[in-house]
Amino acid sequence: MTILSPTSIDEAVAALADPAIQVLAGGTDFMVEVNAGHRRPDKVLSLRHIPELRTWEQLPARDDPAHVRLGATVTYTDMLQPDLAQLLPALAHAARTVGSPQIRNAGTIGGNLATASPAGDTLPVLAALEAVVEVASPLGVRDIPVATFITGPKRTALSPGELIVAVRLPLLDGHQEFRKIGVRNAMVIAVASLALAVDTRTRTVRCALGSVGPGPIRATEAEEWLAGTIDWDRPAATTEAPDLAYFGRLVAGAAQPIDDHRGTAAYRRHAIGVLAERAAAQAFGAGSAA
Amino acid sequence: MSDIATTHATKGTIGENASRPDGGPKVRGEFAFSGDLWADGMLWGRTLRSPHPAARIIAIDIAAALRIPGVHAVVTAADLPASVNYGLEWRDQPVFATDVVRYVGEPVAAVAADHPEAARQACEAIDVQYEPQVPLLDPAEAAAAPPIHPDGNVFRQLTIRTGDPSARGPIVVEGAYEVGMQDQAFMGPEAGLAIPADDGGIDLIVSTQWLHNDRLQVAECLGLAPEKVRLSLGGVGGAFGAREDVSLQIHACLLAQRTARPIKIVYSREESFLGHVHRHPARIWMRHSAEADGRLVSFEARILLDGGAYRSSSYHVVANATCFSAGPYKVENALAEGIGVRTNNPPCGAMRGFGAVQVCFAHEAQMDKLAEACGVDPVEIRLRNALATGDRLLTGQVIEGTLPVARVIREAAALPLPPSPEIADPMTRPGGAGRTADAAHVRRGIGFAVGFKNLMYAEGYMDGSAARCRLSDGLATVTCAAAEVGQGFVTLAQQIARTVLGVEDVLLAPADTSIGSAGSSSASRQTWMSGGAVEKACQAVRAALLQHVADRHGIDPAQLTITDGRVTSTDARDSIDLAVADAAPGVVFEEEVEYHHRITHPLDDDGQGDAHVSLVCAAHRAVVDVDPDLGLIRVVQVATAQDVGRALNPLQVLGQIEGGIAQGLGLATMEELTLRNGRILNPSFTDYLIPTALDMPEVLATLVEEPEPGAPFGAKGVGEPPTISSTPAIVAALRAATGKALNRVPVRPQDIALGDGE
């Protein structure tokens, strides 16, 4: 087995010209497949020694609102550090639900995207925030919105020879959070998950669902109903509470769950509605923050 | 029996929290588990397994596998030189399938290659032509279905009748219950190293629970005399019953014999789930009747256990499930019918609690129903019916030893309750790290349960254990084949030797087959059986030492004693005061003994007989927070009082209690092998969930010490009781919090949130 360990993005992209080479980031999916005998790589491209992939920066507002740009190998543990977590709280919530400390130290945001599991924990957050994936190839760098990046279960819009180098997420000023259901209280694959983010500047609500469809699902009808129902000009505590149960039903209606050994479709649809109602109550209910 | 005062001068004796001899290496990651074994020139063995739950084998072609570079041997049933079947109690399981396969995962062939990857490719290259058959998957249909094995589809049918089963009290409660298939889920997968020896025999280092039983089965299948098969214990990473049956032992030894090279086999996690037996899934119906005050009048039970494709220990699991089906309660009139059947599901056998776990889930749900029907508190109704010494079991056996049922109930109920849920850290709410619940979504429930079972084997089994003790200038060496599987026997053996001999330096020789059998590390039996053997061997050495000193001084050895690590005389005129280490310079004392417990008897046609050696009980009170809308659970606290006879090492007892509660919690809330068409859908730790630190509750434990007559030091086995009644206590708490019936474990989120399975 050949293992390449480049130290720059350019070198990594050049190495990807070889169609047989397989990209290794944190290895938390890759090595499981190798150990199970489901993946037998002859050539591996390790991203561990590319420092610029491991960094993140806050991009000031210009034409766009301010963004955070996360290098592809930023880990879940990195997302939990207070300076980053306060900018992207829902992403930190999602990162905390991933595996054990050892897994969080290894697993990366780019890996979560590239694996594109229907249960990928950060994906609903990226979908709700309308993150943009930066992809490099010998032709240059192109941006792919996360909504089109994930094309199906474990399928992405990455072309051969392309490498995920970063993810850009907007900094929103409203309430945001992530909730995830698993059968045990930690170290568990999601049975259903939900990210909710409020953008008071554009007066929009974004709600994305995980593990209840082939990829993250935006509950657009529910989002629009809620954004149109709440009174954006007055504090939540002084207004009549919106019908959050109805919001929950709309979200449940947007789910496309299946039965599998981790849960039933009926439970997933029910549970995602409950999560939606609870998240919206935190954002807009009596005594809420928004 | 111990007439020796525990001394202050000798440290690490009975009753102290002596440290484990293997504790340091295990904590530092230096302990060699059997997966770490290595020999120069060794080959890697691998097993090819059936993908079908039921199929005829039309042909097996190994030619392509043999052509793969690095492959040294491919073996099938045709290569077995002697017996082609093995089995823990009954040889009904083919070492390799011949004409049919009976479960998904059944071994069909094995290969040896110079690299694990070559071995994997070789297994893929073996061409097995199967003709799939319609599998028998529903245990309820098995008894009447055409036999899927020459021995038939019923492993055992046991009926226990006592009193007048048609008697009825005014209060009647009835229910049907189901227990899913739990796995032992030990951390260290099956692993072993077989080394061919110059004398034509085999040396096998393996992680197992019972070296001598493995040896017998290997010898039978390889056509060797048992003494030519020498086993020694590899480092064991947990067992819980799953290492009682042979897994890779015969395969590795056959490959070693065939290739004349050392063979290492290590199962992957997936293969481990396929390669060992599981806890029997159960369907149980019970009807209790009682007087208006809750005192039991009659008890009826029907228990169906799915034993899967081969017998393993199903025969005795049926016995335990049926014998203990009423729980630790007095009932004069009973009819309990247990049956264990063969299906094309994965084989089931021993797991911690051994039949008592399944019925405890049912009888404790029934006791709560009865409490409600009678308007009596759940703790009180259990006290009113509690068995005690002098009472009769369902089998007619009079309880002669200690069985402090009422006391464990009272002591568990008296332990303090946890603080209220409002102040909990959000991470410790139901849903944990997923932050699914806000404080207002959480409801709390409290549940109570009591369980009991026997210690050691039953029904006339002639059980024994051998031990050797050697004493030389104050250094004691203890040899015993008892398998240390994590339970702490190694610590107790040292503590016993220190107590009897008054020396602190106690070496443990490796556990191997150079000495007689110690029996299995199961049935909560090693503290009693091998502890008893070690005590007896040390006492024999002690007597020899005192005789030696007495002879030198020309006095009666009866006057000599060992106190505070010194040999002294009870007669002050003798003025003998010698450190044990200096009492007989240069003299080696060595004694080997066998220890047996009292004789038991078979059960008759009505299930009556003195079948059990000793009984043990425990009570559990669980406090559980539930998110009823999502069906998510956080067990907040489990309080327990356990009948331990005498705590020889209280810290180790607590370790068993905490671990057993974790396993009981797992069965209550998450642990289940899910099957589709006989295939395990979740053979991984990604999907077979066991409790994490965020699932584990605070544990409060009271050790109830009423020394057991006839038991070495009065100590009872402590490993199994924590798993028996912790599960029903947790489910009772869930019922209290949600109002749901919850007649099946593990309780799934949809059972609570949507009422599935009601």
Side-chain angles (χ1 to χ4, degrees):
Chain A
M1 194 194 311
T2 310
I3 298 172
L4 298 182
S5 197
T7 54
S8 73
I9 291 174
D10 288 346
E11 281 177 79
V13 169
L16 274 178
D18 179 348
I21 206 158
Q22 301 192 24
V23 177
L24 173 69
T28 57
D29 291 315
F30 190 108
M31 289 310 298
V32 171
E33 292 173 12
V34 169
N35 289 336
H38 300 146
R39 184 195 278 265
R40 291 285 150 185
D42 290 326
K43 297 176 189 169
V44 175
L45 176 67
S46 166
L47 304 181
R48 175 172 293 178
H49 298 290
I50 307 176
E52 56 185 305
L53 289 181
R54 183 70 194 271
T55 60
W56 65 273
E57 60 184 327
Q58 188 173 344
L59 304 173
R62 287 193 295 267
D63 299 338
D64 291 335
H67 278 70
V68 169
R69 183 176 182 277
L70 301 179
T73 62
V74 164
T75 66
Y76 301 111
T77 298
D78 295 336
M79 298 172 217
L80 286 168
Q81 300 314 305
D83 47 356
L84 189 49
Q86 69 178 6
L87 296 174
L88 299 167
L91 190 67
H93 292 169
R96 179 60 185 80
T97 71
V98 174
S100 61
Q102 295 90 331
I103 296 294
R104 293 196 289 274
N105 287 340
T108 67
I109 186 97
N112 211 216
L113 275 163
T115 298
S117 162
D121 285 319
T122 68
L123 303 184
V125 179
L126 300 183
L129 296 180
E130 298 178 353
V132 172
V133 186
E134 292 180 22
V135 169
S137 73
L139 305 174
V141 175
R142 66 174 177 134
D143 284 350
I144 311 176
V146 92
T148 51
F149 181 85
I150 293 166
T151 56
K154 304 210 166 183
R155 289 203 304 271
T156 70
L158 272 182
S159 298
E162 285 188 321
L163 181 71
I164 300 169
V165 291
V167 185
R168 293 200 309 276
L169 304 101
L171 291 175
L172 306 185
D173 54 359
H175 177 78
Q176 60 175 261
E177 64 169 68
F178 173 83
R179 297 185 188 224
K180 164 175 148 182
I181 291 172
V183 175
R184 72 180 168 195
N185 288 326
M187 281 181 69
V188 69
I189 306 245
V191 170
S193 66
L194 178 138
L196 184 90
V198 179
D199 185 1
T200 57
R201 193 180 56 89
T202 60
R203 297 189 164 184
T204 54
V205 176
R206 289 94 164 281
C207 181
L209 323 179
S211 279
V212 291
I217 294 171
R218 282 285 291 273
T220 49
E221 186 190 350
E223 292 175 355
E224 286 164 15
W225 178 84
L226 186 55
T229 302
I230 57 176
D231 185 343
W232 291 94
D233 294 318
R234 290 199 289 169
T238 65
T239 61
E240 191 184 339
D243 183 359
L244 299 180
Y246 182 68
F247 175 69
R249 287 196 294 278
L250 288 177
V251 168
Q256 304 161 26
I258 57 166
D259 283 320
D260 67 15
H261 58 281
R262 294 183 187 131
T264 63
Y267 174 76
R268 287 186 157 109
R269 190 180 293 283
H270 162 80
I272 201 81
V274 172
L275 291 186
E277 186 179 339
R278 290 180 181 180
Q282 284 294 313
F284 300 113
S288 63
Chain B
M1 202 281 304
S2 173
D3 58 347
I4 296 147
T6 301
T7 67
H8 294 292
T10 310
K11 291 194 170 56
T13 56
I14 286 304
E16 294 179 54
N17 292 328
S19 298
R20 297 181 63 104
D22 56 359
K26 281 181 171 167
V27 169
R28 289 191 298 268
E30 294 166 358
F31 182 83
F33 288 96
S34 52
D36 301 319
L37 292 164
W38 191 272
D40 287 339
M42 74 181 192
L43 302 173
W44 297 80
R46 191 180 171 98
T47 317
L48 177 70
R49 294 173 182 275
S50 165
H52 301 288
R56 285 205 187 90
I57 295 177
I58 307 300
I60 303 176
D61 184 351
I62 63 170
L66 283 170
R67 283 196 296 270
I68 290 174
V71 172
H72 289 249
V74 178
V75 292
T76 66
D79 297 289
L80 287 163
S83 175
V84 296
N85 288 334
Y86 75 103
L88 180 63
E89 299 175 351
W90 189 262
R91 312 291 196 238
D92 73 336
Q93 185 157 5
V95 176
F96 296 111
T98 50
D99 48 341
V100 295
V101 289
R102 296 189 180 87
Y103 73 98
V104 175
E106 178 158 2
V108 175
V111 306
D114 56 15
H115 191 277
E117 179 62 18
R120 189 187 67 84
Q121 289 173 6
C123 281
E124 281 180 3
I126 298 170
D127 182 15
V128 186
Q129 287 180 46
Y130 294 102
E131 184 182 287
Q133 308 287 306
V134 177
L136 173 59
L137 300 173
D138 183 353
E141 294 173 358
I148 59 170
H149 187 284
D151 293 349
N153 293 350
V154 176
F155 295 124
R156 186 175 195 178
Q157 193 156 14
L158 175 62
T159 301
I160 298 177
R161 268 185 217 91
T162 187
D164 173 12
S166 66
R168 281 289 173 279
I171 310 289
V172 178
V173 293
E174 183 174 344
Y177 306 92
E178 198 175 327
V179 177
M181 184 185 283
Q182 189 179 21
D183 191 83
Q184 298 84 352
F186 47 59
M187 291 294 109
E190 290 83 350
L193 179 66
I195 304 167
D198 293 340
D199 65 353
I202 302 274
D203 293 293
L204 174 65
I205 311 163
V206 69
S207 47
T208 180
Q209 288 176 241
W210 191 353
L211 290 164
H212 288 73
N213 199 319
D214 287 3
R215 166 159 85 166
L216 204 57
Q217 295 177 65
V218 170
E220 284 175 16
C221 292
L222 264 58
L224 293 172
E227 56 273 20
K228 287 280 183 77
V229 180
R230 294 162 293 256
L231 269 72
S232 52
L233 189 68
V236 183
F240 312 109
R243 293 189 212 268
E244 275 212 305
D245 292 81
V246 157
S247 56
L248 53 78
Q249 286 87 331
I250 302 167
H251 303 159
C253 290
L254 179 64
L255 289 168
Q257 205 178 37
R258 182 50 99 74
T259 61
R261 298 269 291 268
I263 301 290
K264 175 171 176 169
I265 299 182
V266 183
Y267 285 180
S268 67
R269 181 59 59 193
E270 178 173 356
E271 188 168 20
S272 177
F273 277 106
L274 299 176
H276 63 242
V277 298
H278 317 290
R279 191 191 294 290
H280 290 72
R283 297 179 198 172
I284 300 167
W285 170 87
M286 284 183 184
R287 181 161 61 198
H288 289 65
S289 81
E291 302 292 356
D293 65 1
R295 276 178 300 128
L296 289 170
V297 173
S298 70
F299 169 72
E300 296 159 278
R302 287 196 296 270
I303 302 149
L304 171 63
L305 301 170
D306 183 354
Y310 295 102
R311 188 168 120 159
S312 180
S313 50
S314 281
Y315 185 86
H316 290 112
V317 174
V318 169
N320 263 24
T322 315
C323 286
F324 306 118
S325 57
Y329 307 113
K330 273 179 283 201
V331 54
E332 299 291 326
N333 307 299
L335 175 62
E337 298 169 290
I339 184 169
V341 295
R342 191 190 306 269
T343 65
N344 291 116
N345 289 317
C348 291
M351 183 175 173
R352 197 177 196 175
F354 202 81
V357 165
Q358 292 92 329
V359 291
C360 188
F361 173 63
H363 67 63
E364 288 307 276
Q366 287 284 103
M367 293 306 282
D368 284 343
K369 280 186 183 173
L370 191 62
E372 191 178 352
C374 297
V376 176
D377 179 79
V379 172
E380 176 58 29
I381 201 153
R382 289 170 168 85
L383 285 171
R384 284 183 192 173
N385 289 289
L387 279 176
T389 303
D391 290 335
R392 284 179 188 278
L393 303 176
L394 290 187
T395 53
Q397 179 170 349
V398 175
I399 301 167
E400 290 174 352
T402 59
L403 191 67
V405 178
R407 188 165 162 203
V408 297
I409 293 171
R410 287 200 185 91
E411 299 260 14
L415 287 164
L417 286 161
S420 73
E422 292 77 36
I423 61 169
D425 171 358
M427 288 282 275
T428 65
R429 288 184 198 133
R435 303 169 64 111
T436 48
D438 304 304
H441 305 127
V442 178
R443 263 189 261 159
R444 176 162 287 186
I446 300 176
F448 203 88
V450 193
F452 85 140
K453 83 177 283 289
N454 59 327
L455 298 171
M456 294 161 307
Y457 295 154
E459 298 183 77
Y461 183 81
M462 289 302 290
D463 199 4
S465 177
R468 188 187 306 136
C469 176
R470 185 179 192 273
L471 182 68
S472 170
D473 296 326
L475 173 66
T477 304
V478 172
T479 305
C480 181
E484 173 58 48
V485 300
Q487 81 274 38
F489 177 75
V490 287
T491 326
L492 294 185
Q494 290 183 322
Q495 288 179 261
I496 291 168
R498 291 184 191 120
T499 304
V500 176
L501 297 171
V503 298
E504 282 176 15
D505 292 337
V506 179
L507 289 180
L508 288 177
D512 59 33
T513 49
S514 66
I515 186 171
S517 176
S520 178
S521 290
S522 61
S524 297
R525 64 177 284 290
Q526 286 296 24
T527 298
W528 185 315
M529 296 304 300
S530 292
V534 169
E535 184 194 22
K536 194 173 164 187
C538 292
Q539 282 171 340
V541 163
R542 180 177 180 272
L545 171 71
L546 296 182
Q547 183 70 55
H548 176 89
V549 173
D551 289 350
R552 275 205 355 220
H553 291 81
I555 60 171
D556 182 354
Q559 282 172 231
L560 292 174
T561 183
I562 296 177
T563 310
D564 295 347
R566 304 187 74 80
V567 179
T568 55
S569 172
T570 50
D571 186 339
R573 290 168 302 177
D574 294 339
S575 68
I576 291 170
D577 183 6
L578 298 162
V580 172
D582 304 326
V587 183
V588 175
F589 303 94
E590 184 162 328
E591 300 288 344
E592 184 171 330
V593 303
E594 267 189 44
Y595 178 88
H596 298 276
H597 61 61
R598 70 182 178 85
I599 288 169
T600 62
H601 302 279
L603 296 168
D604 67 17
D605 289 346
D606 285 326
Q608 301 293 297
D610 288 346
H612 304 297
V613 180
S614 173
L615 299 161
V616 66
C617 63
H620 290 83
R621 184 194 66 202
V623 178
V624 175
D625 283 349
V626 192
D627 178 345
D629 291 333
L630 291 177
L632 300 183
I633 295 160
R634 163 78 194 186
V635 182
V636 177
Q637 182 200 67
V638 173
T640 182
Q642 183 167 326
D643 161 31
V644 300
R646 183 175 168 202
L648 303 188
N649 184 320
L651 188 63
Q652 286 199 167
V653 175
L654 191 61
Q656 287 284 352
I657 287 174
E658 290 184 342
I661 286 171
Q663 217 150 18
L665 185 157
L667 179 59
T669 66
M670 64 183 82
E671 288 191 37
E672 182 175 11
L673 289 173
T674 51
L675 303 179
R676 185 184 297 150
N677 198 29
R679 178 189 313 278
I680 297 171
L681 296 179
N682 54 339
S684 72
F685 280 156
T686 302
D687 283 314
Y688 184 85
L689 300 180
I690 55 177
T692 68
L694 265 184
D695 300 285
M696 190 60 196
E698 171 193 35
V699 171
L700 305 179
T702 299
L703 310 184
V704 173
E705 296 193 84
E706 296 189 4
E708 173 76 333
F713 304 99
K716 291 186 177 182
V718 298
E720 292 177 285
T723 55
I724 297 172
S725 41
S726 51
T727 302
I730 289 166
V731 179
L734 292 171
R735 291 188 194 106
T738 63
K740 305 278 183 183
L742 306 179
N743 290 326
R744 184 187 190 282
V745 282
V747 176
R748 299 161 295 200
Q750 59 265 30
D751 298 336
I752 295 173
L754 301 177
D756 287 9
E758 298 274 299

